[in-house]
Amino acid sequence: MGKCSNHSDRETSFLCLKYNIYMCEECLQCRDPEIYCKFRSSCPIWFIDKRQKDWDREARAQEEVKTFKVIFKPEEREISVPEGSTLLDAAIAADVHINASCNGKGSCGKCKLILESGNIKSEPTTLLSDQEKAKNYILACQTKVLGDVTVKIPEETIERKLKVAGMGQEATDRFKGLVKDIQPMLIEIPLELEPPTLDDSSSDLDRLNRGLKKTGCCDVDRLSVGIKVMRELATAMREENWNVTASVMRKKCSNEILNVRPDNGQEKSLGLAMDVGTTSIVVCLVDMTDGSIIAATSGHNSQSACGDDVINRIVCAEKDGVAKLSRMALSTINNLINEALDSVDGDFKDIKNVVISGNTTMTHLLLKIEPRYIRREPYIPSVSEFPILKAGNIGIKANPIAAVFIMPGPASYVGGDIVSGMIYSGLHREESLTLFIDVGTNGEIVLGNNDWLMTASCSAGPAFEGGGIRWGMRAEEGAIEKVSIDPETLEPTFSTVGNVSPRGICGSGMIDLISEMLLTGIIGQDGKYKIDQNHIRMKQDGEDLAYIIAFADETPMQEDIVFTEIDIHSLMLSKGAVYAGFMVLLEQAGLDFSMIDRILISGGFGQYLNVEKAITIGLLPDIDHDKFQYLGNSSIAGAYMALLSDYYRKEAIKVSNNMTYIDFSSNSRFMDEFTSALFLPHTNLNAFPSVKIK
Amino acid sequence: MGKCSNHSDRETSFLCLKYNIYMCEECLQCRDPEIYCKFRSSCPIWFIDKRQKDWDREARAQEEVKTFKVIFKPEEREISVPEGSTLLDAAIAADVHINASCNGKGSCGKCKLILESGNIKSEPTTLLSDQEKAKNYILACQTKVLGDVTVKIPEETIERKLKVAGMGQEATDRFKGLVKDIQPMLIEIPLELEPPTLDDSSSDLDRLNRGLKKTGCCDVDRLSVGIKVMRELATAMREENWNVTASVMRKKCSNEILNVRPDNGQEKSLGLAMDVGTTSIVVCLVDMTDGSIIAATSGHNSQSACGDDVINRIVCAEKDGVAKLSRMALSTINNLINEALDSVDGDFKDIKNVVISGNTTMTHLLLKIEPRYIRREPYIPSVSEFPILKAGNIGIKANPIAAVFIMPGPASYVGGDIVSGMIYSGLHREESLTLFIDVGTNGEIVLGNNDWLMTASCSAGPAFEGGGIRWGMRAEEGAIEKVSIDPETLEPTFSTVGNVSPRGICGSGMIDLISEMLLTGIIGQDGKYKIDQNHIRMKQDGEDLAYIIAFADETPMQEDIVFTEIDIHSLMLSKGAVYAGFMVLLEQAGLDFSMIDRILISGGFGQYLNVEKAITIGLLPDIDHDKFQYLGNSSIAGAYMALLSDYYRKEAIKVSNNMTYIDFSSNSRFMDEFTSALFLPHTNLNAFPSVKIK
């Protein structure tokens, strides 16, 4: 039966078929939507008539827990929460997106809100400036609700539309020709069957199997069928005079008839390729008949309210139950699917094939598979190769019988997204020795060719995605993405995503900035500020020295956007980890950089990356610039290929199984290399001959 | 999602996991247990607190339907039903067992009750004697509830314990040695796994598969796994230090890991072999380690309230939805399972393998598979060969992951119970030409040997089981089972099941009676009474002439038990159909009775059968008595063999596929033979040389 979705220690009695939520008896009886159902606003069960309100009142009276109303402006979203809830809890419940990098620990200071009215209690924090405090700024995770509250989400906290580059027509063009022969997992086979007679009185199911056998579509002897299909078979077969369409799922070791519908006419068949990242999720809606991408959407993984990195997500899953994290990811995914469908006036029932590419933690959380051992030595995932699942069983908004392929991942910290990258790049098909890197919330590296594959993960941390950086942010609207600094005046020139006023700085902007600061002598090789502290661009930010990239009057928040020494240090740790990863992996293979034929850079981050500047700070090795190639989001590209092709699905499993994973966590060579790399560009300057430091 | 269990035309929103009932929104909201849930008395959801009553009151007020209380004595069962319900509906809802042979049409007169008090409205009926009317007898199906009512179930209507011969120790002895090598469908494999290390960091699932592969228990490459197991895997594997037991279901074309539990110690493993008959259901609880039968129970199929024969059951399913019939059968089955478990202090979770043998209609109804085309030309079942199912998916009280094998059946009117008979008798394994008959509610025949198998069904009707016979009943306590008549005085001598006062007459008693009446000249070869209508044993029963078997003062009902001319005619139709079946099947094979090496008689009915008397009335052919052999309940025996052996499960599928079904419904030779057989013993007396008629 499984456990209650709200109380993981209780047996369930009911299953909400609409939202796939298991409920214990208390949940069913209480029916207090604020407490028990995340989907209340669209649920026909909970909000039906006045009885609902009576139950709520009664339930509340019985439990003697007061609830208060919280209104989030500017969207005026309203939610009731029990007394003592944090505003972050309220935001999660109201589906109001707030960034909380540190998982509510109160250490990142990102979940800022402005209190308009109401009774609250805030913990003291040093993460708000006096100026902010004067404006009634509070931190959502550090503030408890003690009465009805109205808060406003400030400009800098509102999440903007993610820039999803290379999707839509661009992607159709980029992906065109990648797959020649389209073979979905769930195939639809139109059949014109012989009606039965007294002399040919075999059962309906036997007749169907006979028809399927004739088409040669699949091995009928290895064909199974479920109870639901058996129940509906007789009616379906007779409705359109023995013309039917059978939906058959081709699985690893058998095939299964999942549906039989009357009429053998053509029905639309859509597919979904998805990249479920720690930070952002990309959804491509694909026409399965020709492989064209008819819509693409992307958004922030709403799990962000539980922290920026996979470790925080796992901690949260251990605390609150993995179902919570699954629901959060599904909420983002299903909203993106809706958005994609709406844009082409599509119907979710037409979606019959789905491929999900994501890192190991993301797939575990999404499928509600126990993730806790991923973060504990010896770092073991529950599952690396997944059976083909049904969308209805995992909560994806698609036809409930849609086949779902989860990209396999070789290890806890090298997941299906990297295998997708292999499939798309074809690294494992070519002789040339290739280094593949994907720097997202984590940094993964693959080294190899058609003979062998080695892979490793270096805990780069979320700095490149804005995590733990004072004004760090993702590549959203308003993010500073390019920076240059005048060597004479030390004045910066920058451009932002969307060409609007700057709201923060993203990964590529940080790399530019540090590289420019190093070359102009603002900082030294140790990452410390060298110039006069009284320079117009320098200021004290709390106890930290900082360079002002944009003055308050240039920004919508009316605050200086600065880059502190601590920020520089965070970024040096990240780049050092990636570079150390390269070094150790090469060493293990007995190679050096000169033997590398090409370096493939994957991930949304790579797109805006200035290779020269990345070399300057020692993130990338100092080799011929022509050997670098930017792949774009290879996770979504590989998912797209696997969606259309059985060949690539099998190849993915093979590649995943053939990758040799090197664990750095207990590798002393990695620690040595890491320490050597905590310098700009590196303690061994000989390795960076092209970097000329003033 | 499936349809609402209460409203077959509605989509469901909720699934009650406890009772496996689908509910639409109205059902869930209404929560009126009288209307919507059959299981209310034991359901923790419905009866919880005063709110339940408020809801009931509110729901009733809204619907403006009055409900009244009905009490059934002597057990004092109480139920509330809406105004206008029949007492038969009330009995079904209260789980009070009442026989209603005609499915509530008011034509059989079996559902007698005695009104003690209350406001009712009865339709006029000729099926109650004036004497009965004077005693306040009413027919449950013809009486509507218009106020609170108290009724008593009269002696003759109370269903007695079925006599299940040959079960328990007897069956263990009989079945001993049938299966040498026990191979369950769901096997439990204890494993001692290597704990993971940094150098051996494969995923938990890969580790489990590796362990399974080592044991050689099953083909790991064809092993699938469900989402539930993946979710629980990590915890289960670590709980007892990497010692686990995997439950693997061996299916036709793949294997599936259904459960992984910590600890690799031995757990009990029980199995269920079941014979689900139209009239009665037999359940054997088997110890899977040695094949011994540790408990056996049997009872009336509670579908009887919807009619005696499969046609009435299908009609009822079409009217009220197949889910109702499924629930009725499951209620009997699960009560019998409970009874069997209680008798040995067993736990239903230990039941991990189940085999169900039943006719095609019974299996369709049980599994809620559309049965309507079984009764419509060209008589097509939905499914003849079933995949292995899980107990939890079909509502059988066993471990939810228990593997359920349904005996395959070759045709709409030759089902899995007959295939079971083949497996047990071994007819298809031997050279000798054998005729197999099973006369239950229907009559099925198989003719053949190890080369070929022909089968047919003759609509014998339910007369041999008491259906449509004035005082007919099943072989329960009080049934007259043996009769002889003094040729001089024409006085009968009889014995009853359980040696108690006679309550009616069962199949073997009727055969004895007609044979004796024929030989003593009470009736002629045309089945009409020939003796003086004023004979002390003769009386007028309504408009019908009848022979008195037992006088009123000998019976607990204080009424004469009689056998009417219409009863004789009904029995002649039944025996004529069976004999015509023999003839046509032989003719189709180009054979005659002299070539038959043996005749196997199966079914509960056969046990008390006097072969000589059955020949006298022309039910069985007049051949060497030594060629007749009584098999007992071969349906349960075959189910038992399939429960223990993969070989027999595969053989069952092969046998079912190899049987050539001959349809009699449109066969003119059958009609000719049938007409010729409507005589005692037959129009062709030469075929019955041993029958000497006075």
Side-chain angles (χ1 to χ4, degrees):
Chain A
M1 279 201 194
K3 300 293 182 184
C4 174
S5 301
N6 303 308
H7 305 91
S8 61
D9 57 336
R10 296 189 192 162
E11 284 299 321
T12 49
S13 291
F14 275 76
L15 169 63
C16 169
L17 296 166
K18 191 171 167 86
Y19 294 113
N20 212 25
I21 296 172
Y22 286 91
M23 286 175 289
C24 65
E25 283 149 32
E26 185 186 313
C27 288
L28 190 78
Q29 283 162 36
C30 168
R31 297 165 75 98
D32 181 345
E34 265 74 55
I35 299 173
Y36 292 117
C37 187
K38 283 264 304 162
F39 302 90
R40 69 227 151 269
S41 60
S42 59
C43 179
I45 306 288
W46 304 126
F47 280 101
I48 24 120
D49 57 22
K50 69 172 187 48
R51 264 186 282 171
Q52 176 62 46
K53 281 170 203 150
D54 298 344
W55 289 333
D56 286 359
R57 207 166 37 235
E58 209 175 321
R60 279 179 209 148
Q62 281 180 4
E63 298 184 8
E64 286 184 18
V65 170
K66 277 189 237 167
T67 65
F68 295 113
K69 200 165 65 182
V70 179
I71 297 171
F72 289 92
K73 289 187 172 181
E75 286 193 37
E76 303 283 345
R77 291 231 203 156
E78 194 177 315
I79 186 84
S80 288
V81 293
E83 182 173 13
S85 307
T86 67
L87 284 171
L88 183 61
D89 293 337
I92 293 172
D95 225 353
V96 167
H97 213 101
I98 289 188
N99 189 357
S101 298
C102 66
N103 187 17
K105 290 194 205 93
S107 62
C108 75
K110 295 243 163 128
C111 57
K112 289 175 200 167
L113 293 173
I114 302 168
L115 180 70
E116 293 211 335
S117 66
N119 187 6
I120 53 117
K121 182 171 184 292
S122 281
E123 296 297 316
T125 177
T126 58
L127 294 165
L128 293 169
S129 65
D130 292 341
Q131 196 183 357
E132 285 170 332
K133 282 174 187 164
K135 286 193 213 157
N136 280 330
Y137 271 60
I138 47 178
L139 293 183
C141 71
Q142 298 300 305
T143 305
K144 285 187 178 157
V145 174
L146 302 178
D148 291 347
V149 173
T150 302
V151 289
K152 191 181 148 194
I153 307 172
E155 266 298 312
E156 62 270 33
T157 309
I158 293 179
E159 291 229 325
R160 303 297 160 121
K161 201 81 199 128
L162 258 190
K163 196 171 166 186
V164 191
M167 284 295 128
Q169 186 54 42
E170 212 178 321
T172 298
D173 295 344
R174 181 159 75 106
F175 294 172
K176 195 171 254 172
L178 281 178
V179 178
K180 302 269 182 298
D181 179 20
I182 296 179
Q183 307 143 311
M185 291 169 278
L186 189 73
I187 52 174
E188 307 223 298
I189 306 155
L191 296 168
E192 206 170 312
L193 301 169
E194 293 287 322
T197 63
L198 282 172
D199 295 325
D200 172 17
S201 61
S202 58
S203 71
D204 293 335
L205 183 58
D206 287 348
R207 189 168 306 275
L208 181 75
N209 280 334
R210 214 161 67 190
L212 284 171
K213 195 166 193 165
K214 262 193 206 158
T215 68
C217 71
C218 50
D219 183 352
V220 175
D221 291 333
R222 295 177 78 167
L223 199 57
S224 71
V225 62
I227 186 94
K228 189 176 158 288
V229 172
M230 292 194 282
R231 285 176 181 160
E232 294 167 0
L233 196 57
T235 308
M237 288 175 82
R238 284 160 183 84
E239 197 171 312
E240 293 284 344
N241 195 29
W242 305 93
N243 290 328
V244 295
T245 301
S247 304
V248 176
M249 194 195 271
R250 296 192 287 194
K251 296 192 283 187
K252 191 184 159 197
C253 41
S254 64
N255 301 314
E256 185 178 351
I257 305 173
L258 286 186
N259 189 43
V260 177
R261 63 178 163 86
D263 190 3
N264 51 10
Q266 201 63 42
E267 222 182 43
K268 247 193 193 163
S269 183
L270 301 177
L272 286 175
M274 272 190 252
D275 166 33
V276 179
T278 311
T279 303
S280 55
I281 296 178
V282 181
V283 167
C284 279
L285 191 63
V286 179
D287 183 335
M288 293 300 288
T289 53
D290 62 2
S292 62
I293 294 172
I294 58 176
T297 51
S298 64
H300 298 289
N301 187 337
S302 69
Q303 287 176 348
S304 298
C306 298
D308 264 347
D309 55 30
V310 297
I311 299 300
N312 268 313
R313 305 282 171 87
I314 296 172
V315 170
C316 186
E318 290 179 37
K319 192 163 64 88
D320 299 345
V322 69
K324 175 180 170 183
L325 281 289
S326 175
R327 276 202 301 273
M328 288 173 132
L330 282 172
S331 129
T332 303
I333 289 171
N334 290 341
N335 283 338
L336 292 174
I337 295 173
N338 280 340
E339 215 178 287
L341 285 168
D342 286 350
S343 72
V344 295
D345 212 9
D347 184 346
F348 77 96
K349 291 200 192 80
D350 293 333
I351 301 174
K352 289 162 195 164
N353 287 274
V354 179
V355 170
I356 296 173
S357 170
N359 66 50
T360 305
T361 303
M362 286 305 111
T363 52
H364 277 57
L365 294 178
L366 180 65
L367 301 176
K368 294 186 215 153
I369 296 175
E370 177 61 73
R372 69 176 68 216
Y373 302 101
I374 290 178
R375 76 178 184 98
R376 286 177 171 78
E377 202 182 311
Y379 316 111
I380 306 296
S382 287
V383 184
S384 46
E385 182 189 335
F386 300 83
I388 293 182
L389 301 166
K390 288 174 204 154
N393 289 345
I394 58 173
I396 299 274
K397 184 156 184 190
N399 195 312
I401 63 163
V404 182
F405 180 82
I406 311 283
M407 273 285 175
S412 272
Y413 294 110
V414 176
D417 50 346
I418 303 305
V419 172
S420 276
M422 295 299 102
I423 299 303
Y424 176 58
S425 68
L427 186 155
H428 59 289
R429 295 182 212 113
E430 290 169 38
E431 254 181 74
S432 56
L433 190 64
T434 307
L435 188 65
F436 171 101
I437 68 161
D438 186 325
V439 180
T441 313
N442 215 346
E444 291 102 344
I445 316 173
V446 184
L447 177 66
N449 59 15
N450 58 358
D451 258 356
W452 54 276
L453 292 169
M454 281 170 75
T455 185
S457 160
C458 31
S459 328
F464 288 117
E465 301 220 326
I469 303 295
R470 182 72 178 89
W471 286 93
M473 64 183 290
R474 299 159 193 153
E476 296 161 19
E477 203 178 73
I480 295 169
E481 54 172 345
K482 283 183 189 166
V483 185
S484 61
I485 296 179
D486 186 307
E488 299 306 319
T489 64
L490 306 184
E491 281 295 303
T493 317
F494 57 80
S495 64
T496 64
V497 175
N499 289 317
V500 297
S501 311
R503 295 171 57 232
I505 183 163
C506 68
S508 60
M510 295 182 223
I511 291 168
D512 276 17
L513 178 68
I514 295 178
S515 159
E516 290 287 293
M517 292 199 297
L518 179 67
L519 295 179
T520 56
I522 296 175
I523 57 173
Q525 282 186 268
D526 59 358
K528 302 282 181 201
Y529 283 111
K530 291 199 306 185
I531 59 164
D532 183 1
Q533 296 192 16
N534 296 319
H535 188 280
I536 182 166
R537 283 283 163 184
M538 296 303 289
K539 73 179 270 195
Q540 201 69 25
D541 186 72
E543 302 190 354
D544 211 15
L545 199 57
Y547 176 82
I548 302 166
I549 317 167
F551 286 113
D553 56 9
E554 299 173 70
T555 73
M557 305 84 63
Q558 297 292 310
E559 285 197 69
D560 294 343
I561 296 176
V562 301
F563 209 75
T564 69
E565 261 180 8
I566 292 180
D567 293 339
I568 299 170
H569 186 65
S570 296
L571 222 54
M572 281 169 72
L573 290 175
S574 291
K575 75 97 192 171
V578 173
Y579 193 81
F582 294 153
M583 293 298 287
V584 177
L585 215 52
L586 282 167
E587 194 178 292
Q588 292 262 356
L591 303 171
D592 63 51
F593 280 121
S594 68
M595 293 155 162
I596 301 290
D597 295 313
R598 52 181 187 149
I599 294 185
L600 304 178
I601 301 168
S602 173
F605 156 83
Q607 182 177 21
Y608 313 100
L609 188 71
N610 182 318
V611 168
E612 195 176 334
K613 290 180 175 172
I615 293 172
T616 302
I617 69 162
L619 169 63
L620 296 177
D622 193 3
I623 61 174
D624 183 359
H625 292 15
D626 291 345
K627 288 187 176 175
F628 290 96
Q629 188 187 333
Y630 174 60
L631 288 182
N633 181 338
S634 64
S635 174
I636 191 77
Y640 167 86
M641 291 168 76
L643 176 68
L644 293 177
S645 157
D646 195 45
Y647 176 83
Y648 290 128
R649 288 189 291 273
K650 288 190 178 128
E651 195 182 44
I653 293 170
K654 223 168 94 185
V655 165
S656 171
N657 287 332
N658 288 346
M659 283 171 127
T660 305
Y661 177 72
I662 309 294
D663 180 70
F664 284 168
S665 67
S666 58
N667 189 311
S668 61
R669 282 296 301 131
F670 179 78
M671 279 316 294
D672 293 347
E673 286 293 344
F674 177 57
T675 314
S676 304
L678 293 181
F679 221 65
L680 294 172
H682 197 273
T683 46
N684 175 16
L685 255 179
N686 293 336
F688 289 84
S690 79
V691 182
K692 309 285 178 218
I693 296 174
K694 201 157 102 176
Chain B
M1 280 201 193
K3 300 293 183 183
C4 175
S5 301
N6 304 306
H7 305 92
S8 61
D9 56 337
R10 297 191 192 159
E11 286 298 324
T12 49
S13 291
F14 273 78
L15 169 61
C16 169
L17 296 167
K18 189 170 168 87
Y19 295 113
N20 211 22
I21 296 173
Y22 285 91
M23 286 175 289
C24 65
E25 282 150 33
E26 187 186 314
C27 289
L28 189 79
Q29 282 163 36
C30 170
R31 298 164 76 98
D32 181 345
E34 266 73 54
I35 300 175
Y36 291 119
C37 187
K38 285 258 307 157
F39 302 91
R40 68 226 149 276
S41 60
S42 60
C43 180
I45 305 290
W46 303 126
F47 281 100
I48 25 124
D49 58 21
K50 68 168 188 52
R51 264 186 281 171
Q52 177 61 46
K53 282 168 203 153
D54 298 345
W55 290 333
D56 287 358
R57 209 166 37 234
E58 207 176 321
R60 276 178 210 149
Q62 280 179 5
E63 298 185 9
E64 286 184 20
V65 171
K66 278 187 235 165
T67 65
F68 295 114
K69 199 165 66 181
V70 179
I71 298 171
F72 291 92
K73 290 187 172 182
E75 286 194 38
E76 303 283 349
R77 291 231 205 159
E78 195 177 315
I79 186 85
S80 289
V81 294
E83 181 172 16
S85 307
T86 67
L87 284 172
L88 183 60
D89 293 337
I92 292 173
D95 225 354
V96 167
H97 213 101
I98 289 187
N99 189 355
S101 296
C102 67
N103 187 14
K105 291 192 204 96
S107 62
C108 75
K110 295 244 163 126
C111 57
K112 288 174 199 166
L113 294 173
I114 302 168
L115 182 70
E116 294 212 333
S117 67
N119 187 7
I120 54 115
K121 184 171 181 289
S122 280
E123 296 298 317
T125 177
T126 58
L127 294 167
L128 293 170
S129 65
D130 292 341
Q131 197 185 354
E132 285 172 331
K133 283 174 187 163
K135 286 192 214 159
N136 280 329
Y137 272 62
I138 48 177
L139 293 183
C141 72
Q142 298 298 305
T143 304
K144 284 187 177 156
V145 174
L146 301 178
D148 291 346
V149 173
T150 301
V151 289
K152 191 181 146 193
I153 307 171
E155 267 298 312
E156 61 271 33
T157 308
I158 293 179
E159 292 226 327
R160 301 297 160 121
K161 199 84 200 123
L162 259 189
K163 196 172 162 184
V164 192
M167 283 297 128
Q169 186 54 44
E170 214 178 319
T172 298
D173 294 345
R174 182 160 74 104
F175 294 171
K176 194 172 257 172
L178 283 175
V179 177
K180 302 269 182 296
D181 180 21
I182 296 179
Q183 305 142 310
M185 293 170 276
L186 189 74
I187 52 174
E188 307 223 298
I189 306 153
L191 296 168
E192 204 171 313
L193 301 169
E194 293 287 321
T197 62
L198 282 172
D199 294 325
D200 172 17
S201 61
S202 58
S203 72
D204 293 335
L205 183 58
D206 286 347
R207 190 169 306 275
L208 181 75
N209 281 335
R210 216 163 65 190
L212 285 169
K213 197 165 191 167
K214 263 193 206 160
T215 68
C217 69
C218 50
D219 183 352
V220 175
D221 291 333
R222 295 177 79 168
L223 199 57
S224 70
V225 62
I227 185 94
K228 189 177 157 287
V229 172
M230 291 194 284
R231 285 175 181 159
E232 295 168 358
L233 197 56
T235 308
M237 289 175 82
R238 283 162 183 82
E239 198 172 314
E240 292 284 343
N241 195 28
W242 305 92
N243 291 328
V244 296
T245 301
S247 304
V248 175
M249 195 194 270
R250 294 191 289 194
K251 296 192 285 189
K252 192 183 157 196
C253 40
S254 64
N255 300 315
E256 186 179 348
I257 304 173
L258 287 186
N259 190 42
V260 176
R261 64 177 160 86
D263 190 4
N264 51 10
Q266 201 64 41
E267 223 182 42
K268 247 192 192 165
S269 183
L270 301 177
L272 287 175
M274 274 191 251
D275 167 34
V276 178
T278 312
T279 303
S280 53
I281 297 178
V282 181
V283 168
C284 279
L285 190 63
V286 179
D287 183 334
M288 295 299 287
T289 52
D290 63 2
S292 62
I293 295 172
I294 57 175
T297 51
S298 65
H300 298 289
N301 186 337
S302 68
Q303 287 176 348
S304 298
C306 297
D308 264 348
D309 55 28
V310 297
I311 300 300
N312 268 313
R313 305 281 172 87
I314 296 172
V315 169
C316 186
E318 290 179 35
K319 194 163 62 84
D320 299 344
V322 69
K324 175 181 170 183
L325 281 290
S326 176
R327 275 202 302 271
M328 288 173 131
L330 283 173
S331 129
T332 304
I333 289 170
N334 290 341
N335 283 338
L336 292 173
I337 295 173
N338 280 339
E339 217 178 285
L341 285 169
D342 286 350
S343 73
V344 295
D345 212 10
D347 183 347
F348 76 95
K349 291 201 194 81
D350 291 333
I351 302 175
K352 288 162 195 165
N353 288 273
V354 179
V355 171
I356 296 173
S357 170
N359 66 52
T360 305
T361 303
M362 285 306 110
T363 50
H364 276 59
L365 294 179
L366 179 66
L367 302 177
K368 294 188 216 151
I369 296 174
E370 178 60 75
R372 69 177 67 216
Y373 303 101
I374 289 178
R375 74 178 186 99
R376 288 177 170 79
E377 203 184 308
Y379 316 110
I380 306 295
S382 287
V383 183
S384 46
E385 182 190 335
F386 300 82
I388 293 182
L389 301 166
K390 286 173 208 157
N393 289 345
I394 60 175
I396 300 274
K397 184 155 182 190
N399 195 313
I401 63 163
V404 182
F405 179 82
I406 311 283
M407 271 286 174
S412 272
Y413 294 110
V414 176
D417 49 347
I418 304 305
V419 172
S420 277
M422 296 300 100
I423 298 303
Y424 176 58
S425 69
L427 187 155
H428 59 289
R429 292 181 214 116
E430 290 169 35
E431 254 181 73
S432 56
L433 190 63
T434 306
L435 189 65
F436 171 100
I437 68 161
D438 185 324
V439 180
T441 314
N442 214 348
E444 292 102 345
I445 316 173
V446 183
L447 178 66
N449 59 14
N450 58 359
D451 259 356
W452 54 273
L453 291 169
M454 282 171 71
T455 185
S457 161
C458 30
S459 329
F464 287 117
E465 300 222 328
I469 304 294
R470 183 71 178 88
W471 287 93
M473 65 183 290
R474 300 161 192 151
E476 297 161 18
E477 203 178 70
I480 295 168
E481 55 171 346
K482 285 183 187 166
V483 184
S484 62
I485 296 179
D486 184 309
E488 300 305 320
T489 62
L490 306 185
E491 282 294 304
T493 318
F494 57 78
S495 63
T496 63
V497 176
N499 289 316
V500 296
S501 309
R503 295 169 58 230
I505 184 163
C506 69
S508 60
M510 297 182 219
I511 291 169
D512 275 17
L513 178 68
I514 296 177
S515 160
E516 291 287 293
M517 292 200 296
L518 179 67
L519 295 178
T520 56
I522 298 175
I523 56 172
Q525 282 188 267
D526 59 357
K528 302 282 181 202
Y529 283 110
K530 290 200 305 184
I531 59 164
D532 184 0
Q533 296 193 16
N534 297 319
H535 188 282
I536 183 169
R537 282 284 164 182
M538 296 303 290
K539 74 178 270 192
Q540 200 71 26
D541 186 74
E543 303 187 354
D544 210 15
L545 199 56
Y547 175 82
I548 302 168
I549 316 168
F551 288 112
D553 57 8
E554 299 174 70
T555 73
M557 305 84 64
Q558 297 292 313
E559 285 199 68
D560 294 343
I561 295 176
V562 300
F563 209 74
T564 71
E565 263 182 5
I566 292 180
D567 291 342
I568 299 171
H569 186 67
S570 295
L571 222 53
M572 282 170 72
L573 291 174
S574 291
K575 75 99 193 170
V578 173
Y579 192 82
F582 294 154
M583 294 297 287
V584 176
L585 215 51
L586 282 168
E587 197 178 290
Q588 292 260 0
L591 303 170
D592 62 49
F593 278 121
S594 67
M595 294 157 164
I596 300 289
D597 296 313
R598 53 180 187 151
I599 295 186
L600 303 178
I601 302 169
S602 173
F605 156 82
Q607 183 176 19
Y608 313 101
L609 189 72
N610 180 318
V611 167
E612 198 175 331
K613 291 180 174 172
I615 293 172
T616 303
I617 69 163
L619 169 63
L620 295 178
D622 193 2
I623 59 172
D624 183 358
H625 292 14
D626 292 343
K627 288 187 175 174
F628 289 97
Q629 188 187 332
Y630 173 60
L631 288 182
N633 181 338
S634 64
S635 174
I636 190 78
Y640 168 85
M641 291 167 75
L643 177 67
L644 293 177
S645 156
D646 195 47
Y647 177 83
Y648 290 127
R649 289 189 291 273
K650 287 191 177 126
E651 196 182 42
I653 293 168
K654 222 167 96 184
V655 165
S656 172
N657 287 333
N658 289 347
M659 283 172 125
T660 305
Y661 177 71
I662 310 293
D663 180 69
F664 285 166
S665 68
S666 59
N667 188 311
S668 62
R669 284 294 303 130
F670 180 78
M671 279 317 293
D672 294 347
E673 286 293 344
F674 178 56
T675 313
S676 305
L678 293 181
F679 222 66
L680 295 171
H682 197 271
T683 47
N684 176 16
L685 257 180
N686 294 336
F688 289 83
S690 78
V691 181
K692 308 289 179 215
I693 297 174
K694 203 156 100 174

